Amino acid sequence: MPELVPVLSKEDINRMISALAKEISTDYEGRKLILIGVLKGAFVFLADIIRNLTIPVEVDFLRVSSYESSTSSSEKIKLTKKVENDLLGKDVLIVEDIIDTGFTIEYLIQYIKSLNPCSVSVCTLIDKVERRRKGVKINYAAYTAQKGFFVGYGLDYAENYRNLPEIYDLKL
Ligand code: IMP
Ligand code: MG
């Protein structure tokens, strides 16, 4: 039986989100901010961030396929849903659930840059550092962990557990 070890409670998450949204609201004051959520994992996180921002914001999503029901990172990344909003003149904040090896976010930064926004920054719910292979700059991280496999609050293992309101470390 897989075991779910609690990592972040609802209260922890609320605290992290309001601190993060405050920082983003200050940093992007007077600019044209667009948050681009990486489906599916980031949808809950993004929904909470935007409701805590005090500045105007656009929202869009993109989707990449990776992991395919395993806990090991695939270096083969495929864009399965493109950005639809126009990014010209806008400051993009990519919202990811987890940055692990860094391959996915490196690919996404290149893709977003090809759409000619004013700037591209990265915001992640969890910055998981132990297996990092790419030296990408993470501008905002709600939580930093050495390792683990996290589920809940939008994060899945084989499409399960996204609905849990807290974050757990899944021990298989
Ligand atoms: P990377 O390319 O190795 O950085 O992988 C990042 C992607 O793998 C994230 O967008 C997640 O969807 C997925 N991922 C990595 N670690 C976890 C985890 O602990 N739980 C759930 N998904 C994960
Ligand atoms: Mg993801």
Side-chain angles (χ1 to χ4, degrees):
M1 267 297 280
E3 190 195 348
L4 291 172
V5 180
V7 176
L8 295 166
S9 67
K10 286 187 204 176
E11 292 72 28
D12 295 331
I13 294 169
N14 288 343
R15 251 196 316 274
M16 285 168 10
I17 296 284
S18 53
L20 193 66
K22 210 169 163 184
E23 206 183 330
I24 295 169
S25 299
T26 305
D27 293 350
Y28 287 91
E29 177 88 64
R31 292 162 69 183
K32 285 189 174 161
L33 175 64
I34 177 165
L35 298 197
I36 300 182
V38 184
L39 293 171
K40 303 175 194 173
F43 81 107
V44 177
F45 181 42
L46 183 139
D48 274 351
I49 294 173
I50 56 169
R51 286 176 293 172
N52 282 268
L53 292 177
T54 56
I55 55 169
V57 66
E58 279 183 37
V59 172
D60 200 355
F61 293 94
L62 53 72
R63 186 159 176 205
V64 282
S65 67
S66 49
Y67 277 33
E68 285 157 10
S69 309
S70 97
T71 55
S72 80
S73 181
S74 158
E75 294 171 23
K76 282 201 165 45
I77 301 143
K78 213 170 78 196
L79 190 71
T80 57
K81 186 211 168 297
K82 293 181 177 176
V83 167
E84 292 170 42
N85 290 32
D86 186 0
L87 302 187
L88 274 181
K90 294 176 195 161
D91 290 296
V92 174
L93 188 55
I94 304 173
V95 180
E96 249 291 27
D97 53 357
I98 299 200
I99 296 169
D100 185 10
T101 62
F103 279 99
T104 308
I105 198 66
E106 185 182 68
Y107 172 91
L108 292 178
I109 292 169
Q110 289 316 315
Y111 164 62
I112 297 293
K113 280 186 176 164
S114 77
L115 303 173
N116 298 312
C118 275
S119 67
V120 184
S121 295
V122 175
C123 173
T124 187
L125 173 63
I126 300 176
D127 183 7
K128 194 162 74 173
V129 296
E130 194 181 71
R131 304 197 308 161
R132 189 66 39 83
R133 305 248 314 266
K134 297 285 179 179
V136 280
K137 179 165 184 201
I138 316 298
N139 305 81
Y140 306 92
Y143 184 74
T144 302
Q146 274 302 312
K147 57 182 175 184
F149 195 86
F150 301 95
V151 296
Y153 194 68
L155 313 180
D156 76 309
Y157 171 65
E159 295 301 328
N160 289 307
Y161 309 113
R162 293 192 199 276
N163 58 307
L164 302 177
E166 309 86 11
I167 296 171
Y168 297 86
D169 190 350
L170 179 70
K171 306 286 187 193
L172 291 169

